[in-house]
Amino acid sequence: MNFTEADSKAINTIRVLAADIVFKGNSGHPGAPMGCAPLAHLLFSRYMNYNPKNPKWANRDRFVLSNGHACALQYILLHLTGYPTTMEDLKQFRQLNSKTPGHPESHITTGIEVTTGPLGQGFANAVGLAIAEAHMAATFNKPGFEIFNNYTFMIAGDGCLQEGVASEAASLAGHLKLGKLVAFYDDNHISIDGDTQVSFTEDVAKRFEAYGWHVIIVKDGNHDLEAIARAIEEAKKVTDKPSLIKVFTTIGFGSLNQGTEKVHGSPLKADDIVQLKKAFGFNPEEHFVVPKTTYDLYHAKAEKGAKVNHEWDALLEKYTGAHPELAAQLKRRLAKKLPEGWAKELPRFTPADKATATRKLSEAVLNKIADILPELIVGSADLTGSNLTRWKNAVDFQPNDSGIGNYAGRYIRYGVREHGMSATMNGIDAYGGLIPAGATFLNFISYASGAVRLSALTGHRIIYIMTHDSIGLGEDGPTHQPIETMATIRATPNLIDFRPADGNETSGAYLYAIESKNRPSVLALTRQDLPQLEGTSIEKTLKGGYVLQEVQGADVTLVATGSEVSLIVDAAKLLKEQGIKARIVSMPSTKLFDEQSHDYRASVLIDGVPSVSVEALATFGWDRYAHESIGIDTFGSSGPYKDVYKYFGLVPDVIAGKVQKVVAFYKKEGSVPSLVRKYFH
């Protein structure tokens, strides 16, 4: 491959711009962009297919900067190639409400595929993007119509490869033989603490070979463009393994402090930038300068990408004629539209139906909707038999030569990798055309919280199916019994909490989770059987909280979620025998309830009546909805679940006794503070 002075100038332009951007922002990481500028340049100028005029083209190659600290690099590349990132945006790096935030955010900057920053997340996101490509290709490609064949390219650093989430995802990718995934390991031997010899001396290449990856080593990533190019071409030819290209680079290449941690997380000094520009042939008095030859080089590549995009559009039109049903489904899914009438398949229940665990009711929903929602791709972190997430005719997503599934399969065996599963699902959703759902025990969503937080921050439609939601799982004891977990979920912005009380509320939770295009949802489901309650409905669930049973002249409002709703129904009967009238409120989603109008919330939590919450979890946060709370503010205990509930006083007679004291207290006080006014939005 022929490289010219234009390539060298473009690479040095990236390096100089990185120094200028971080210096102007007075914050950031100039070193990594300067070090891996050559490999990034080759990707964007020679190998990747993209179209800045159509950033969401479905078959574009994906690029993930797993090391989100090097975001200046990504913003520079977007600007050079013609995405709507202006030079003024680069000058506003890390400023308030800018299009170039402190780490790549896909919902802010056009051209960013996934939101990265916390190390290792982008690595797992890239695995998700590659899974999505393999599945979409297996689903829609037909002879003569290769609709999906894009590559996912990713740059990761030493820090990314130290994070456990990257290891989880890398292991999964190797098992799945994701041949369209190409990762660059920017090995510069530096982390914030200094040389990696202080903490990271493993043989990464051997580790990835053990994972089942194809590994290539480039010894000089600072200058040897030919070697980098050969490595990319070799990686693209290996179709039965993901590829790791280990590239030795010098962090902060050209800086007076190159090769040290001093260029990792701080701007270069002014005199350093002067000498850098002189060394690379730039005027040190000028800032944010891009030579015309550099713009021309990248714009020419973008024009080629646009041509490939137009050819793909034409192919899709021919495909529409040859395979009209598949084409219609594809276009619908890419537009995030759901099939007409799909929600009619959601099961509905009456009190005559038998008591059933909500995890089992979730399984019933999946069996009803899986065929009508082909975009639904579900999996579990090694707990399929407990989470009940695999529907009857599901096919496993596995390599085509595995004999245990194929890439068209829609059930993913994530293995014991809760964090990797969740970060991978973020990548699957980012690809488009799919709705990912993943499962484990509710307690172990805490293992995945870094990825769950990014689901919420970015607005990914992820369905977290979390079973064994309380002390109701019983004998496994406090290590498995979630106490504080729902409080964390409820505190996370844009993350929707669901703890359904019965079948109707479970169906309602799925209705919201699937129709909500830009929010993740957590469905907390029971192991133990629950009765189908009078007054629940799919539609009421969407309000987050609603009056399940109303009484005139109420003395108290009882509020509960999930398995405790049936407990307060029984407690209300005991209170009635004592002459105390109790209203009953089911609160399947506190987040959705908060989003209702003031008048609606005031009709549920009425003034002048004390409210008591009951939940077999921590009481933290319930002061927004209750004057007094009955729950568990210690860790759980081992034993049969009925014994554990009794031990913690979560049985109707004990609840009724505590409520009596609350009613007596407020009668003595003579007034009851308004709850809704207290948290008026």
Side-chain angles (χ1 to χ4, degrees):
M1 182 172 287
N2 295 321
F3 297 102
T4 68
E5 180 61 28
D7 291 292
S8 297
K9 180 61 75 172
I11 291 167
N12 290 333
T13 297
I14 293 171
R15 288 167 168 156
V16 170
L17 277 178
D20 275 346
I21 289 169
V22 177
F23 185 83
K24 173 84 167 46
N26 196 32
S27 176
H29 303 260
M34 295 167 69
C36 62
L39 69 89
H41 164 71
L42 285 187
L43 274 181
F44 276 79
S45 68
R46 303 277 178 142
Y47 288 102
M48 285 179 56
N49 287 324
Y50 53 86
N51 181 8
K53 294 179 181 178
N54 183 18
K56 293 298 183 181
W57 167 35
N59 197 40
R60 66 192 180 279
D61 287 332
R62 269 62 169 185
F63 173 76
V64 176
L65 190 64
S66 180
N67 182 1
H69 298 340
C71 55
L73 171 66
Q74 200 160 8
Y75 300 143
I76 291 167
L77 292 167
L78 292 175
H79 172 69
L80 295 178
T81 51
Y83 283 88
T85 300
T86 66
M87 186 62 76
E88 189 59 33
D89 292 327
L90 297 184
K91 294 177 182 179
Q92 295 299 312
F93 179 59
R94 290 195 169 204
Q95 300 306 302
L96 185 65
N97 296 325
S98 72
K99 294 182 181 178
T100 51
H103 289 96
E105 295 184 45
S106 59
H107 59 296
I108 290 178
T109 310
T110 301
I112 301 293
E113 298 291 353
V114 288
T115 297
T116 59
L119 296 181
Q121 294 292 330
F123 195 109
N125 296 162
V127 172
L129 288 165
I131 286 173
E133 185 281 331
H135 176 75
M136 295 292 275
T139 302
F140 291 104
N141 290 2
K142 297 295 177 184
F145 296 98
E146 202 164 273
I147 303 300
F148 291 100
N149 61 4
N150 70 276
Y151 284 84
T152 298
F153 296 99
M154 178 254 295
I155 298 177
D158 292 292
C160 299
L161 297 184
Q162 292 174 56
E163 289 284 1
V165 65
S167 298
E168 291 180 24
S171 175
L172 179 63
H175 164 74
L176 293 174
K177 301 182 178 180
L178 299 174
K180 293 288 184 68
L181 174 61
V182 179
F184 290 88
Y185 169 24
D186 175 29
D187 186 3
N188 56 40
H189 289 287
I190 294 294
S191 65
I192 291 175
D193 270 3
D195 194 297
T196 53
Q197 68 180 345
V198 302
S199 62
F200 189 57
T201 53
E202 67 179 47
D203 190 327
V204 171
K206 287 183 179 179
R207 169 155 65 101
F208 273 74
E209 286 174 352
Y211 284 151
W213 287 57
H214 174 65
V215 177
I216 309 166
I217 296 176
V218 176
K219 295 182 179 179
D220 181 4
N222 298 322
H223 307 94
D224 197 345
L225 300 185
E226 289 282 356
I228 298 172
R230 286 195 303 271
I232 296 172
E233 290 169 0
E234 179 183 335
K236 291 181 72 174
K237 291 176 183 177
V238 176
T239 59
D240 63 345
K241 293 181 179 181
S243 291
L244 180 76
I245 302 174
K246 181 179 179 180
V247 184
F248 289 99
T249 66
T250 301
I251 192 169
F253 184 86
S255 164
L256 295 173
N257 292 310
Q258 70 175 28
T260 73
E261 71 276 10
K262 294 179 181 179
V263 291
H264 187 291
S266 301
L268 271 61
K269 302 298 183 184
D271 61 337
D272 197 358
I273 295 178
V274 168
Q275 71 82 28
L276 181 79
K277 290 182 177 179
K278 286 181 178 179
F280 288 149
F282 288 79
N283 184 345
E285 302 299 320
E286 296 179 339
H287 307 281
F288 295 94
V289 172
V290 178
K292 183 177 182 300
T293 56
T294 298
Y295 275 132
D296 289 345
L297 190 156
Y298 283 107
H299 289 175
K301 176 57 179 171
E303 289 174 7
K304 290 180 181 178
K307 183 175 182 292
V308 176
N309 185 172
H310 295 325
E311 292 171 352
W312 184 87
D313 290 341
L315 180 67
L316 183 60
E317 286 309 304
K318 292 181 181 178
Y319 180 79
T320 301
H323 304 281
E325 291 184 4
L326 276 176
Q329 181 195 141
L330 173 60
K331 292 174 182 178
R332 174 187 66 74
R333 287 166 57 170
L334 292 177
K336 281 194 168 184
K337 294 181 179 178
L338 297 169
E340 289 291 332
W342 79 272
K344 294 178 183 177
E345 297 297 318
L346 291 169
R348 292 178 183 265
F349 299 85
T350 71
D353 293 308
K354 69 177 183 177
T356 307
T358 50
R359 64 168 175 160
K360 189 71 176 174
L361 295 163
S362 166
E363 180 185 42
V365 170
L366 292 172
N367 273 289
K368 284 286 189 179
I369 67 174
D371 288 341
I372 199 172
L373 286 176
E375 56 263 58
L376 191 62
I377 185 165
V378 185
S380 174
D382 199 54
L383 289 168
T384 296
S386 295
N387 299 145
L388 303 180
T389 40
R390 194 175 190 274
W391 59 99
K392 291 178 182 177
N393 61 348
V395 175
D396 281 8
F397 177 87
Q398 297 282 356
N400 293 331
D401 62 358
S402 66
I404 53 176
N406 56 64
Y407 285 143
R410 294 163 52 207
Y411 193 78
I412 301 178
R413 307 284 187 163
Y414 284 105
V416 189
R417 304 182 180 103
E418 296 90 350
H419 199 180
M421 172 182 72
S422 301
T424 295
M425 288 195 295
N426 287 337
I428 292 173
D429 180 71
Y431 189 88
L434 293 166
I435 301 175
T440 184
F441 287 3
L442 177 62
N443 198 55
F444 302 124
I445 197 172
S446 57
Y447 273 25
S449 60
V452 175
R453 185 175 186 272
L454 288 178
S455 300
L457 188 154
T458 308
H460 287 302
R461 176 169 48 183
I462 311 291
I463 305 173
Y464 291 99
I465 303 171
M466 303 287 109
T467 69
H468 297 62
D469 71 332
S470 73
I471 57 171
L473 71 83
E475 291 85 352
D476 281 344
T479 62
H480 283 51
Q481 294 168 358
I483 297 297
E484 77 292 351
T485 313
M486 287 302 293
T488 301
I489 290 165
R490 290 165 178 157
T492 304
N494 202 43
L495 180 63
I496 304 302
D497 59 307
F498 282 106
R499 193 162 181 255
D502 68 358
N504 289 326
E505 289 192 356
T506 301
S507 290
Y510 269 102
L511 175 62
Y512 183 89
I514 290 169
E515 290 195 334
S516 181
K517 297 178 182 179
N518 300 299
R519 304 179 91 168
S521 299
V522 176
L523 279 60
L525 308 170
T526 68
R527 179 195 187 197
Q528 73 271 32
D529 290 341
L530 303 179
Q532 310 299 336
L533 299 169
E534 182 75 44
T536 62
S537 77
I538 292 174
E539 292 72 25
K540 290 177 183 177
T541 304
L542 304 183
K543 294 285 190 180
Y546 61 95
V547 179
L548 186 68
Q549 293 181 17
E550 187 63 274
V551 295
Q552 296 299 314
D555 299 299
V556 67
T557 297
L558 302 182
V559 186
T561 77
S563 48
E564 286 70 70
V565 177
S566 58
L567 290 182
I568 64 172
V569 169
D570 290 341
K573 294 174 183 176
L574 297 177
L575 289 168
K576 186 177 180 181
E577 294 174 1
Q578 302 299 318
I580 296 175
K581 297 178 180 179
R583 304 169 69 244
I584 297 175
V585 170
S586 179
M587 189 81 75
S589 174
T590 61
K591 193 71 65 69
L592 291 186
F593 183 70
D594 288 347
E595 295 176 359
Q596 305 308 309
S597 70
H598 177 269
D599 287 347
Y600 176 78
R601 287 181 285 125
S603 73
V604 176
L605 301 176
I606 59 176
D607 281 348
V609 176
S611 172
V612 179
S613 69
V614 181
E615 190 173 48
L617 302 170
T619 61
F620 184 86
W622 274 105
D623 57 343
R624 292 169 63 86
Y625 317 101
H627 299 93
E628 303 291 339
S629 296
I630 299 171
I632 305 173
D633 290 316
T634 65
F635 290 108
S637 184
S638 300
Y641 85 88
K642 290 183 179 179
D643 293 347
V644 178
Y645 264 85
K646 186 174 182 180
Y647 174 78
F648 284 105
L650 290 166
V651 287
D653 60 333
V654 176
I655 293 170
K658 291 180 178 180
V659 172
Q660 282 180 302
K661 293 179 181 178
V662 172
V663 172
F665 172 82
Y666 281 102
K667 282 186 177 179
K668 183 179 179 181
E669 286 287 299
S671 65
V672 181
S674 171
L675 286 169
V676 175
R677 190 169 298 158
K678 185 172 71 172
Y679 74 104
F680 177 75
H681 297 327

